[in-house]
């Protein structure tokens, strides 16, 4: 993998923060509309709150997974945050990720975080600046 400008922790973190800020804006807007509709049409607000909580516990992780996987397997090869930072995700052959590889990478992302964030810290100590989920999915984040 020579002649590739691997992207380090800082730039990747900034891209992620941009994505999360944009995501939270969208979720807040959706949440406001859904909350308004649920509470204004419900005879039992307590039950509506429980249903809403369950729905959000499923919606948020699933929509994050879909967002990251679909954007990283798209022709842009990255999320909005990655595009802004001028970085992209590639596979071991230097090509765009398949949807399958992108889903594997992003499911493995949860593992990187679960172990006290050590999967992300790895970026600072690996030659090709790979996280645990990059290593598991055989992906790389490079400059465009």
């Amino acid at each position: 993998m020579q002649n590739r400008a691997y992207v380090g922790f800082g730039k990747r973190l900034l891209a992620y923060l941009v994505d999360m800020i944009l995501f939270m804006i969208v979720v807040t807007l959706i949440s406001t509309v859904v909350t308004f509709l649920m509470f204004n049409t419900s005879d039992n607000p307590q039950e509506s709150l429980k249903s809403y909580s369950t729905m959000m516990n499923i919606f948020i992780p699933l929509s994050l997974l879909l967002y990251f996987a679909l954007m990283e397997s798209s022709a842009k090869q990255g999320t909005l945050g990655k595009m802004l930072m001028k970085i992209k995700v590639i596979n071991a052959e230097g090509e765009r990720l398949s949807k399958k590889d992108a889903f594997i990478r992003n499911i493995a992302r949860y593992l990187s975080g679960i172990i006290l964030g050590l999967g992300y810290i790895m970026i600072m100590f690996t030659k090709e600046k790979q996280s645990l989920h990059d290593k598991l999915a055989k992906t790389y984040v490079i400059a465009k």
Side-chain angles (χ1 to χ4, degrees):
M1 302 306 251
Q2 39 276 41
N3 299 331
R4 292 204 178 127
Y6 299 108
V7 178
F9 184 82
K11 205 167 191 179
R12 290 173 69 165
L13 177 61
L14 284 174
Y16 180 75
L17 291 174
V18 167
D19 287 324
M20 293 312 297
I21 289 167
L22 294 173
F23 181 78
M24 291 316 296
I25 290 169
V26 171
V27 167
T28 300
L29 293 172
I30 292 170
S31 178
T32 301
V33 170
V34 170
T35 302
F36 178 78
L37 292 173
M38 286 181 82
F39 286 106
N40 285 324
T41 59
S42 175
D43 294 332
N44 187 347
Q46 189 84 6
E47 193 60 38
S48 290
L49 183 60
K50 186 177 176 184
S51 297
Y52 173 78
S53 178
T54 301
M55 181 180 67
M56 292 309 282
N57 286 335
I58 294 167
F59 172 76
I60 290 175
L62 185 59
S63 57
L64 277 171
L65 173 65
L66 287 171
Y67 168 72
F68 279 95
L70 293 175
M71 291 295 289
E72 290 174 355
S73 63
S74 74
K76 298 292 184 186
Q77 293 178 270
T79 61
L80 296 172
K82 285 182 180 73
M83 286 185 246
L84 183 68
M85 303 302 329
K86 298 183 181 355
I87 61 180
K88 65 182 181 176
V89 184
I90 60 171
N91 65 15
E93 290 77 36
E95 299 167 349
R96 182 170 97 185
L97 301 186
S98 67
K99 286 189 180 14
K100 176 185 169 192
D101 289 342
F103 275 97
I104 290 169
R105 179 180 191 270
N106 284 285
I107 289 169
R109 180 189 299 265
Y110 290 104
L111 182 59
S112 288
I114 287 173
I115 52 174
L116 304 173
L118 293 176
Y120 291 103
I121 303 293
M122 286 175 58
I123 295 167
M124 294 185 273
F125 300 102
T126 58
K127 180 181 174 187
E128 294 165 333
K129 299 181 182 175
Q130 287 179 290
S131 62
L132 177 60
H133 56 276
D134 286 320
K135 286 203 173 278
L136 292 172
K138 297 179 180 84
T139 60
Y140 303 87
V141 178
I142 63 169
K144 285 188 178 181

